[in-house]
Amino acid sequence: MKYLFVLIVLGLNAIDGYDCKIVQFIFGDSLSDVGNNRNLPRSLAQANLPFYGIDFGNGLPNGRFTNGRTVSDIISDKIGLPRPVAFLDPSMNEDVILANGVNYASGGGGILNETGGYFIQKFSLWKQIELFQGTRDVIVAKIGKKEADKFFQQAGYVVSLGSNDFINNYLMPLYSDSWKYTDQTFVDYIMETLESQLRVLHSLGARKLMVFGLGPMGCIPLQRALSLDGKCQNKASSLAVRFNKAATTMLKDLETKIPNASYKFVEAYDLINDVITNPQKYGFDNSDSPCCSFYRIRPALTCIPASTLCKDRSKYVFWDEYHPTDKANELVANILIKRFDFMRDDDGTSDAPSPSPYLAPSPSPDLAPSPDDN
């Protein structure tokens, strides 16, 4: 659940005749995917079936791996920023980029290219950065390099991946990484890779960037269902703690080495762990099983039309075996907004604006991406 998105800068900046908004560029996995994987025809990591999206817009599947909004949706709404559009959204063109930013997040994606290979198609973080470079080239061609540099340097950047590198890589014996590394050397490998990726993003204009930490991965319903006693798997959660500690150190060190960089690490492990451990404290009745499940068959892995839904979705922390519900996302988003003082008048309990699907311009033929990952 390392999926929280916060931006520091608000407002508009005029760029040499272009009234460009400050926008966000989001790099992530299924916790922040808003429709990229639904446009990857061979991907096995999909949220295209009912009942995904049942509490969003028209109630139809929209590419989000939950019943409603992602944390990034909610935070963007509450702090007055546009929701970044999925890179593979048919509406994508230069004007959409300048007005809304781009979300490159892809279900099953990881920091490492090899992560989630059995999903067939997904965007790893390296691939997402490659797509961002293409986005930059398109904007340079439209408004010129000087103006494009300002646009990208004033934007906010969110990097939120890592859980798949453990759950769908290191902790699975079918991946060679599971026997090539120890716990610490694998975390070191991830950190070396992530540092290289952040350096590339900086070279492309990313100056204000937030990296989000991992929650207690061992407590998601899938991990509980795979355990012998139905309890949290401590090894997975301890790896999240290692990741968070290493990322904090790496970001602080990197910020001192790179000019004009503002890098922040946002950790919510304790918050999410408390929600899971004490659900009633936050208004939930259930924090150990999914709202959408295939009767008593566990783990069901995904929500399908033949699944059954819980009676009250607002009382469940988890929507499916991996992902939180809209209500849990809203809780985390509101607490993070309050914690970071982005809305000083907000007590952290008000409702976010009602979600609605994007209505954007027609796609540009110049932005026809290849769906294949590297």
Side-chain angles (χ1 to χ4, degrees):
M1 292 177 61
K2 41 51 185 148
Y3 47 81
L4 315 167
F5 305 93
V6 184
L7 250 179
I8 308 175
V9 186
L10 301 177
L12 301 176
N13 284 317
I15 301 180
D16 289 2
Y18 292 91
D19 188 23
C20 294
K21 298 177 181 178
I22 289 186
V23 299
Q24 305 174 79
F25 293 95
I26 294 178
F27 304 84
D29 53 27
S30 60
L31 292 166
S32 46
D33 188 344
V34 295
N36 283 313
N37 276 30
R38 72 184 304 199
N39 291 299
L40 294 175
R42 299 195 304 275
S43 177
L44 298 182
Q46 291 288 353
N48 285 337
L49 296 172
F51 300 94
Y52 289 100
I54 191 173
D55 297 310
F56 185 103
N58 59 12
L60 299 176
N62 56 70
R64 289 166 173 80
F65 288 74
T66 181
N67 60 307
R69 301 158 295 173
T70 66
V71 171
S72 60
D73 289 330
I74 297 166
I75 290 181
S76 295
D77 291 346
K78 290 183 74 67
I79 66 177
L81 286 169
R83 297 177 184 173
V85 181
F87 178 79
L88 293 180
D89 192 289
S91 71
M92 183 60 68
N93 62 25
E94 298 94 325
D95 292 331
V96 171
I97 295 168
L98 291 169
N100 298 93
V102 183
N103 184 323
Y104 303 92
S106 173
I111 294 169
L112 306 174
N113 281 340
E114 61 264 33
T115 290
Y118 60 82
F119 292 127
I120 311 296
Q121 272 186 312
K122 42 77 188 176
F123 292 155
S124 68
L125 182 51
W126 277 123
K127 183 63 177 182
Q128 293 178 40
I129 293 171
E130 178 186 327
L131 298 177
F132 172 68
Q133 184 169 12
T135 299
R136 178 181 170 81
D137 292 343
V138 167
I139 296 303
V140 168
K142 181 175 179 64
I143 65 177
K145 185 177 185 304
K146 180 180 179 181
E147 291 78 7
D149 285 346
K150 292 180 182 177
F151 172 69
F152 286 106
Q153 289 177 14
Q154 292 166 352
Y157 296 80
V158 173
V159 175
S160 182
L161 302 94
S163 61
N164 283 318
D165 293 293
F166 296 101
I167 294 173
N168 291 307
N169 184 352
Y170 180 66
L171 293 174
M172 299 188 70
L174 63 90
Y175 284 97
S176 62
D177 285 351
S178 68
W179 66 79
K180 285 170 56 178
Y181 299 96
T182 66
D183 290 357
Q184 189 55 52
T185 58
F186 185 69
V187 170
D188 292 341
Y189 171 38
I190 291 177
M191 288 302 116
E192 291 169 3
T193 306
L194 181 58
E195 179 176 344
S196 298
Q197 292 162 333
L198 298 184
R199 286 181 178 273
V200 173
L201 280 175
H202 182 270
S203 73
L204 296 173
R207 298 295 183 265
K208 305 178 183 72
L209 183 144
M210 285 191 169
V211 175
F212 286 87
L214 307 184
M217 299 182 300
C219 292
I220 66 173
L222 173 71
Q223 292 293 305
R224 288 180 184 266
L226 294 176
S227 68
L228 297 177
D229 56 8
K231 295 182 179 179
C232 297
Q233 296 206 39
N234 291 331
K235 180 177 176 63
S237 293
S238 67
L239 286 168
V241 173
R242 282 179 182 263
F243 176 95
N244 292 343
K245 182 178 179 180
T248 301
T249 301
M250 184 270 289
L251 281 175
K252 288 181 179 178
D253 182 59
L254 186 59
E255 189 177 35
T256 65
K257 297 177 180 178
I258 298 182
N260 303 316
S262 175
Y263 292 166
K264 297 187 181 299
F265 183 72
V266 179
E267 182 178 350
Y269 184 99
D270 291 342
L271 163 63
I272 298 168
N273 190 59
D274 194 42
V275 172
I276 293 172
T277 305
N278 304 294
Q280 287 77 20
K281 174 181 174 182
Y282 298 91
F284 297 104
D285 292 337
N286 186 301
S287 62
D288 58 14
S289 57
C291 171
C292 185
S293 61
F294 192 65
Y295 300 92
R296 295 183 180 275
I297 299 176
R298 298 284 311 282
L301 298 184
T302 188
C303 185
I304 60 176
S307 299
T308 58
L309 298 183
C310 60
K311 293 182 179 180
D312 187 348
R313 295 186 285 276
S314 70
K315 297 297 184 181
Y316 274 64
V317 173
F318 289 99
W319 167 245
D320 61 14
E321 300 284 2
Y322 294 90
H323 308 99
T325 59
D326 176 274
K327 192 65 177 180
N329 284 338
E330 182 179 53
L331 169 71
V332 172
N334 284 340
I335 291 177
L336 263 291
I337 289 171
K338 181 179 179 181
R339 179 178 293 180
F340 284 86
D341 291 328
F342 291 104
M343 298 181 69
R344 294 181 182 276
D345 294 332
D346 187 353
D347 64 1
T349 60
S350 61
D351 292 333
S354 298
S356 59
Y358 276 114
L359 296 176
S362 299
S364 166
D366 295 331
L367 286 176
S370 169
D372 292 322
D373 198 355
N374 286 344

